[in-house]
Amino acid sequence: MKTKHILILGGYGSTGLPVTRLLLANTDVSITLAGRNLDKASRAAAKLNAEYGGNRVSGARVDASDRQSLHTAFDRVDMVVVASSTVEHTEAVARSALEARIDYLDIQYSTTKMQVLESLSKEIERAGLCFITDGGFHPGLPAAMVRFAADQFDSLESANVGSVIKVDWNTLDLSPATMEEFIGEFMNFQTIHFKDGRWQTTSALAMMIPKFMDFGGKFGRQYCIPMFLEEMRSIPTVYPSLRETGFFVGGFNWFVDWFVSPIIMLGLKLFPKSGLRPLGRLMFWGLKKFSRPPYGTLLKLEAKGTKNNGPKSVDVQISHTDGYALTAIPVAACLMQYLDGNIRKPGLWFQAHIVEPKRFFKDMEKMGVEVRIAERSSS
């Protein structure tokens, strides 16, 4: 079988590099680290080749805003992995991949990106290409956690996923583009979850009484608010017995949650374009100034239903001390299934939907993610 060659846009960045290391350690794939700085890409490639042996990694200068640059880069590769802050260039990257007849995976959360990819979905399927979107953990894991737990029930009645993301922001050097993308998503934030058999928006009044989830250990009980993820939309259709499901995101810190976030929401309504950069700086300042340990990232699924005519509940916890690692590891686990041909199929897919869940979580555990499963049933 021919060795696959993957090009990673943003390959020498904070997400691209961990994905590359995991692929080098767990597969025989060849990788091109791509970005606008050839010197950085080449130095990172040389370091990785020395670290892992061989000559499997190369560097290349690629500008996502330049279609000719993309066409040249996509020649003789099998897949592009988008790990860069280039959401505004989604159409250029996706169309270039279509024209080059290569597969695609992105590690980006963006409503605009989803609209572009969905508009191309029929072309993707007709071309026989496999496009995977919403890679990582948030999105990327919640729907996969529901799929994993559903096999343990005869009837699944509720499945809520909550998250705790506590980061030492003082250790991070985020680019202005990354912060602008992060802030930009506030404009599309939807407090929607599935309850009583229908998708519904949580009112502003109800938001004052947030949902609490017990994450145990060092995090304990945390307040969370609904955050709609597109990967969750089809879950009630797949499991018709569900009466409640959704994703709930925990807070950053008290100052950002109760003071900075409302300012950002208002600022973006008044200044949707010009406000991105200053509001991004305000957010980053609040995160650095007021975030406190313990640090780590954890997702918890609380599922309830019936098994053998009796009530049953299953809790699944996925955690890692490093949020970047928890972003990279699910992507690598997904790509491992793609590279051996088990999940490569034509069309546009969410990472959380295309993976085989049991292997997915086993592979993540091998790569350093902590997976805990607790079952309870009544006699």
Side-chain angles (χ1 to χ4, degrees):
M1 183 182 293
K2 174 180 171 286
T3 300
K4 295 282 188 180
H5 190 153
I6 291 177
L7 182 142
I8 303 182
L9 282 176
Y12 50 81
S14 53
T15 301
L17 269 178
V19 171
T20 301
R21 283 198 164 90
L22 290 164
L23 291 176
L24 291 172
N26 293 281
T27 74
D28 64 353
V29 70
S30 296
I31 298 171
T32 296
L33 305 181
R36 287 182 291 182
N37 190 314
L38 178 59
D39 188 46
K40 283 185 179 180
S42 299
R43 285 203 311 268
K47 183 178 179 181
L48 289 167
N49 282 327
E51 187 177 340
Y52 289 91
N55 193 33
R56 293 163 59 194
V57 190
S58 59
R61 183 189 181 282
V62 180
D63 186 345
S65 67
D66 182 348
R67 291 288 291 271
Q68 186 54 53
S69 175
L70 292 169
H71 288 164
T72 302
F74 291 174
D75 188 32
R76 294 188 296 276
V77 304
D78 299 293
M79 169 183 265
V80 57
V81 171
V82 185
S84 54
S85 300
T86 54
V87 166
E88 69 271 26
H89 305 306
T90 297
E91 185 166 8
V93 175
R95 285 200 176 277
S96 296
L98 270 166
E99 291 163 9
R101 292 294 189 265
I102 66 171
D103 295 328
Y104 165 105
L105 183 149
D106 70 60
I107 312 169
Q108 298 170 319
Y109 172 61
S110 166
T111 304
T112 301
K113 174 208 69 178
M114 281 306 310
Q115 291 170 347
V116 170
L117 292 178
E118 285 171 353
S119 73
L120 297 173
S121 60
K122 290 183 179 178
E123 291 181 56
I124 294 166
E125 189 168 1
R126 282 198 299 267
L129 297 175
C130 180
F131 274 41
I132 303 171
T133 191
D134 279 6
F137 78 91
H138 168 219
L141 287 186
M145 294 171 75
V146 176
R147 293 176 60 220
F148 174 79
D151 286 343
Q152 303 179 53
F153 293 88
D154 295 328
S155 176
L156 182 63
E157 295 167 2
S158 71
N160 291 316
V161 181
S163 73
V164 174
I165 305 171
K166 302 293 185 183
V167 177
D168 185 357
W169 296 92
N170 288 289
T171 65
L172 304 182
D173 183 21
L174 301 182
S175 70
T178 299
M179 284 306 300
E180 284 181 29
E181 281 190 13
F182 181 67
I183 295 300
E185 282 308 311
F186 272 76
M187 290 188 288
N188 299 307
F189 191 94
Q190 295 178 290
T191 56
I192 299 175
H193 69 298
F194 187 81
K195 189 174 183 181
D196 299 326
R198 64 184 180 88
W199 288 104
Q200 50 188 285
T201 301
T202 301
S203 68
L205 181 62
M207 292 275 284
M208 301 301 292
I209 311 173
K211 177 182 177 68
F212 280 85
M213 292 186 74
D214 187 357
F215 294 94
K218 61 184 181 181
F219 295 118
R221 197 163 176 261
Q222 300 274 339
Y223 66 86
C224 304
I225 62 172
M227 177 181 177
F228 181 70
L229 297 179
E230 195 62 43
E231 69 186 48
M232 297 296 289
R233 185 186 297 275
S234 65
I235 291 297
T237 303
V238 177
Y239 306 105
S241 57
L242 268 175
R243 302 299 298 167
E244 182 178 353
T245 191
F247 177 69
F248 297 80
V249 62
F252 292 108
N253 61 57
W254 68 271
F255 186 78
V256 169
D257 295 343
W258 299 108
F259 293 96
V260 175
S261 292
I263 291 171
I264 289 174
M265 300 282 272
L266 177 61
L268 288 174
K269 286 183 178 180
L270 297 174
F271 310 102
K273 292 185 178 179
S274 62
L276 284 175
R277 184 153 294 190
L279 291 171
R281 287 197 292 265
L282 174 63
M283 168 67 88
F284 198 29
W285 174 81
L287 291 170
K288 292 174 72 172
K289 186 74 174 176
F290 294 95
S291 294
R292 299 286 184 272
Y295 299 121
T297 304
L298 184 151
L299 277 76
K300 181 184 181 184
L301 165 71
E302 296 178 347
K304 295 180 181 179
T306 59
K307 180 74 174 181
N308 298 325
N309 296 319
K312 178 179 180 177
S313 66
V314 174
D315 293 348
V316 180
Q317 284 194 178
I318 308 292
S319 63
H320 200 287
T321 56
D322 183 344
Y324 280 110
L326 193 56
T327 299
I329 290 171
V331 174
C334 176
L335 286 170
M336 287 165 64
Q337 294 189 28
Y338 163 85
L339 288 166
D340 61 23
N342 283 334
I343 63 171
R344 189 196 178 279
K345 50 189 177 181
L348 174 63
W349 307 92
F350 291 106
Q351 174 193 276
H353 292 181
I354 197 170
V355 293
E356 192 288 305
K358 288 183 180 178
R359 177 186 167 186
F360 185 54
F361 289 115
K362 276 187 180 179
D363 285 341
M364 285 200 299
E365 199 167 17
K366 291 175 185 175
M367 288 185 275
V369 169
E370 185 175 8
V371 180
R372 291 187 178 181
I373 303 169
E375 296 185 23
R376 294 185 299 279
S377 60
S378 62
S379 55

